Amino acid sequence: GNSVTQMEGPVTLSEEAFLTINCTYTATGYPSLFWYVQYPGEGLQLLLKATKADDKGSNKGFEATYRKETTSFHLEKGSVQVSDSAVYFCALSPNDYKLSFGAGTTVTVRA
Amino acid sequence: EPEVTQTPSHQVTQMGQEVILRCVPISNHLYFYWYRQILGQKVEFLVSFYNNEISEKSEIFDDQFSVERPDGSNFTLKIRSTKLEDSAMYFCASTYRVAHEQYFGPGTRLTVT
């Protein structure tokens, strides 16, 4: 079946630190891959996506590259801010209908 | 910017009672979804809805669950006889077409006592 495994949190960082959240997936075919973010008290928002191998998604300084050979889609940001404190979810869509999510990683950035 | 809205934000109900969770998707969207997240667990897909019928559902979405789009704007999830294990955050989402971004609402926290 389709599944997503992402790095467990919580992750606590200082401002301007480098952030990596690991995400690997299991899927048949060629799924689309996503990172969603959930800020406190809000719904899930799409952060970035990639639809085929070697695609790089980027937004708000975050990047993730679709690596088919390692079945990974790790999220990175070079210099985090306090406002990046949120829960981050890796997800895949095998058929462009439903999304399958990872467990979520809570990130706290301290000033 | 258009957004998906959900009401209520928090619903407390007794076991065995019926609940209806309401969602107003973005107005020109055609595909609608319900997901849920039990505290500390993954966000799980429940059901997708298109053209006034269910297009896909998970094994969680049993006969106790139903969805409806009663008018041109609302999209509802009904749980007929709630169980303790139905306690979760329920998210509604919508999209204009498949392979496009799904826009999520803020969620309804359902607590079954």
Side-chain angles (χ1 to χ4, degrees):
Chain A
N2 301 305
S3 66
V4 175
T5 302
Q6 67 180 97
M7 163 180 158
E8 290 189 19
V11 174
T12 303
L13 302 163
S14 298
E15 255 190 328
E16 300 183 5
F18 184 86
L19 171 68
T20 299
I21 304 176
N22 289 340
C23 171
T24 57
Y25 67 89
T26 303
T28 53
Y30 304 96
S32 296
L33 301 174
F34 306 84
W35 278 99
Y36 276 81
V37 60
Q38 184 179 29
Y39 299 104
E42 299 184 17
L44 299 163
Q45 300 173 26
L46 179 66
L47 181 59
L48 53 85
K49 72 174 187 180
T51 57
K52 60 183 188 298
D54 299 324
D55 265 4
K56 178 186 283 189
S58 61
N59 186 25
K60 299 182 181 179
F62 290 89
E63 292 183 342
T65 301
Y66 190 141
R67 300 284 188 203
K68 188 170 181 297
E69 63 276 11
T70 54
T71 61
S72 65
F73 193 56
H74 305 321
L75 182 69
E76 296 181 337
K77 185 173 185 181
S79 177
V80 293
Q81 305 300 313
V82 172
S83 57
D84 294 323
S85 297
V87 182
Y88 293 82
F89 295 91
C90 186
L92 69 81
S93 179
N95 56 9
D96 295 325
Y97 284 94
K98 66 182 182 183
L99 290 165
S100 296
F101 286 89
T105 302
T106 299
V107 174
T108 302
V109 180
R110 292 180 175 167
Chain B
E1 185 175 329
E3 58 182 17
V4 176
T5 59
Q6 291 185 242
T7 54
S9 57
H10 191 190
Q11 172 93 46
V12 181
T13 190
Q14 290 190 326
M15 195 167 52
Q17 296 297 303
E18 175 182 287
V19 294
I20 297 176
L21 309 184
R22 301 181 191 281
C23 169
V24 179
I26 294 172
S27 62
N28 65 339
H29 284 186
L30 302 175
Y31 297 81
F32 313 108
Y33 308 83
W34 283 101
Y35 294 83
R36 78 172 186 189
Q37 184 181 30
I38 295 171
L39 188 64
Q41 299 186 23
K42 293 185 179 187
V43 176
E44 301 170 292
F45 168 78
L46 291 178
V47 66
S48 60
F49 191 86
Y50 169 71
N51 199 26
N52 281 321
E53 60 183 26
I54 290 173
S55 47
E56 189 172 356
K57 61 182 181 179
S58 72
E59 61 274 11
I60 302 167
F61 195 88
D62 61 22
D63 292 343
Q64 292 299 312
F65 291 87
S66 62
V67 289
E68 195 177 34
R69 190 155 160 80
D71 52 40
S73 58
N74 289 284
F75 179 51
T76 61
L77 174 69
K78 181 192 290 186
I79 309 175
R80 284 190 190 76
S81 178
T82 51
K83 303 187 284 284
L84 294 175
E85 54 265 36
D86 293 328
S87 294
M89 180 73 87
Y90 288 80
F91 293 104
C92 173
S94 69
T95 186
Y96 176 67
R97 58 187 173 121
V98 293
H100 279 227
E101 175 183 356
Q102 290 186 24
Y103 290 80
F104 283 77
T108 293
R109 180 166 296 285
L110 177 65
T111 302
V112 182
T113 62

